[in-house]
Amino acid sequence: MRWPGHHWMVGSPVALFARQIEFFARTEGTMTKTATNTTHAKLVIIGSGPAGYTAAIYAARAMLEPILVQGIQPGGQLTITTDVENYPGFADVIQGPWLMEQLQKQAEHVGARIVTDHVNDLDLTSRPFRLTCDSGDIIAADTVVLATGAQARWLDLPSEQKFKGYGVSACATCDGFFYKNKEVLVIGGGNTAVEEALFLTKFASKVTVVHRRDSFRAEKILQDRLSKNPKISVIWDSALEDVIGNDNPLKVRGVVLRNVKTGATKEIPADGVFIAIGHSPSTELVAGKIKMKPNGYVWTAPYSTTTSVPGLFAAGDVADDVYRQAVTAAGLGCMAALEAERFLAHHIENRHAAE
C-alpha cells in the first residue's frame, strides 16, 4: 500500500472536516487534554502517524514520559486510507483509521501523553528546545522526534488551484463519494495514482488515468488489478495542461491534456480530477534550521534518525524519500525513540562525570 493523500490537509475542506470529526468521535474519551502554560518533557514527538505513535510506544516503555503532539490530522495519512493489506500481523484486510486508533491506544496504555494540539514553531537555538503550540502552550523539550510526514504534491497550475475543492482533489478516499456515477480523471503513474484509480471505481462510472510516461511505476500487483478493471482506461504520454469548468458556481467540466511527445493538445470531459503525483515532506517547522536533502526531505545520518542538530531526530515520511510505507515509518519511529533514549542517557552520564 502506498499512502494516498497527505499528512496535514488535502481534499475538499468539507470532506476532510467530516473525516476528522469521525476520527475524533471514535477516539472520544481516549485523548489527553492539551497541556497548559509551559511544560517540560524529556522527549516530545511531533506528529501522529505510524512513526510518531511507534516512537511514543518505545519512549514510554523506556520511561521517558514522552509527549506526543498530534497535529491537525490525528492519525496521519492512514486515517484517509481504507483497505490496508500489507501491514504485518493481520491476516485479513484492515482499515487505516482503525489501525491508527489501535496505535494511539497502545501508546496511551504504555504511558505516552497524547496532546491534541498543533506545533506552530520549533526553536532549536537553545536547550531545552522550545515548542510553541497553536493553543499558546509552550513545551520545553530535551529531545524532539520530528514525525510530521508528507503532504500531497500539486502541479501548481492556476486552474488546478482555482478548482481545488470544487472538482479538483488530492484524496480519493476523502472525496470519491461525491462522484457516484460520474467520470473522473487521475493524474499520475505511481502507486498512489493506481490505488486512487482503483478506489474511485467504487463510485465513478468511468476512471481515466493520465500518465506522462508510457508505463507505470506502480507495483506489479497494482498494475494487474488496474488492467483487469473494466471501468479504468489509460492515456499515456500525456500531461495535464489545464482544468476547465464553470465559474458560478465553481465546477469542473473537463481538462486539456498535452501529449508530451507531439505537443498536441486535446480536451476531455470530466466531472472530477484527482492529482496523485506524489508527496512533499512537511518540513515547515525546520526549514532553514537544519540540514536538508536536495529534494527537500530532512537529512539524517546513514542508518540513523539523527539530524544535523543533536537531540533532534526525524522519522517517517518527513525524512524517508525512498520507501515511504507505513511499516517503514513505524520502524523509523522505533529507531528515533531508541536513539533519543541513548542521547539522553549519554548526556546524564556526562553531567554526572562533570560533577
Side-chain angles (χ1 to χ4, degrees):
M1 176 198 64
R2 194 67 166 274
W3 302 351
H6 56 26
H7 190 78
W8 298 107
M9 186 166 290
V10 298
S12 72
V14 173
L16 181 57
F17 182 72
R19 297 284 298 185
Q20 290 175 335
I21 291 297
E22 179 187 358
F23 182 86
F24 277 111
R26 286 195 301 267
T27 56
E28 185 177 5
T30 66
M31 292 187 180
T32 304
K33 290 186 178 180
T34 305
T36 57
N37 303 320
T38 300
T39 304
H40 178 267
K42 298 175 186 176
L43 171 63
V44 174
I45 300 156
I46 307 174
S48 56
Y53 280 134
T54 304
I57 291 166
Y58 273 79
R61 284 174 50 79
M63 308 302 289
L64 297 184
E65 301 175 329
I67 295 175
L68 182 147
V69 185
Q70 290 182 309
I72 293 174
Q73 187 185 4
Q77 296 183 59
L78 278 177
T79 61
I80 56 169
T81 300
T82 50
D83 293 349
V84 177
E85 59 183 358
N86 62 356
Y87 198 90
F90 302 95
D92 298 321
V93 174
I94 59 174
Q95 299 296 300
W98 177 85
L99 176 60
M100 297 317 301
E101 289 169 18
Q102 297 304 304
L103 280 174
Q104 178 181 327
K105 290 177 180 178
Q106 184 179 2
E108 290 177 317
H109 175 73
V110 295
R113 180 182 176 191
I114 310 300
V115 174
T116 306
D117 209 338
H118 176 70
V119 177
N120 289 335
D121 183 67
L122 174 60
D123 185 356
L124 301 172
T125 59
S126 61
R127 296 185 184 277
F129 301 138
R130 180 185 173 92
L131 293 80
T132 303
C133 297
D134 190 59
S135 63
D137 294 337
I138 305 296
I139 307 176
D142 295 330
T143 57
V144 170
V145 171
L146 186 71
T148 47
Q151 57 190 347
R153 185 179 298 146
W154 298 90
L155 294 168
D156 290 330
L157 297 172
S159 57
E160 172 197 60
Q161 299 302 310
K162 174 182 177 180
F163 289 103
K164 189 186 295 184
Y166 297 94
V168 173
S169 172
C171 179
T173 309
C174 303
D175 298 332
F177 177 81
F178 300 114
Y179 296 91
K180 274 190 172 183
N181 301 317
K182 296 184 178 181
E183 297 185 4
V184 299
L185 271 67
V186 176
I187 311 298
N191 280 9
T192 298
V194 175
E195 285 187 333
E196 298 273 89
L198 290 167
F199 178 80
L200 286 166
T201 59
K202 297 179 180 181
F203 309 101
S205 58
K206 180 182 179 182
V207 179
T208 303
V209 180
V210 179
H211 187 33
R212 62 184 302 112
R213 296 183 175 84
D214 58 6
S215 61
F216 286 121
R217 293 173 285 109
E219 296 171 0
K220 187 66 167 61
I221 187 171
L222 293 175
Q223 293 188 46
D224 289 343
R225 291 176 185 172
L226 183 141
S227 64
K228 294 175 182 177
N229 195 305
K231 283 189 174 183
I232 301 177
S233 61
V234 182
I235 298 178
W236 303 107
D237 300 318
S238 296
L240 180 64
E241 187 79 0
D242 196 20
V243 180
I244 53 180
N246 302 326
D247 286 334
N248 191 20
L250 284 172
K251 183 180 179 182
V252 169
R253 61 178 175 82
V255 300
V256 176
L257 301 180
R258 174 178 53 83
N259 187 291
V260 297
K261 292 183 176 179
T262 66
T265 60
K266 63 178 179 179
E267 184 176 323
I268 294 179
D271 300 298
V273 181
F274 289 83
I275 310 299
I277 56 172
H279 299 82
S280 297
S282 298
T283 58
E284 294 83 0
L285 285 174
V286 294
K289 302 176 184 179
I290 64 174
K291 182 178 179 181
M292 311 291 281
K293 298 177 184 177
N295 59 5
Y297 286 76
V298 173
W299 175 90
T300 55
Y303 312 108
S304 173
T305 63
T306 58
T307 68
S308 59
V309 174
L312 175 67
F313 306 88
D317 282 12
V318 73
D320 178 14
D321 58 343
V322 178
Y323 302 105
R324 293 176 291 189
Q325 301 293 310
V327 66
T328 51
L332 289 167
C334 165
M335 291 170 58
L338 294 175
E339 290 184 306
E341 178 191 8
R342 292 167 186 165
F343 177 88
L344 291 167
H346 176 72
H347 279 262
I348 291 173
E349 289 176 3
N350 287 347
R351 191 181 306 131
H352 290 166
E355 292 176 351

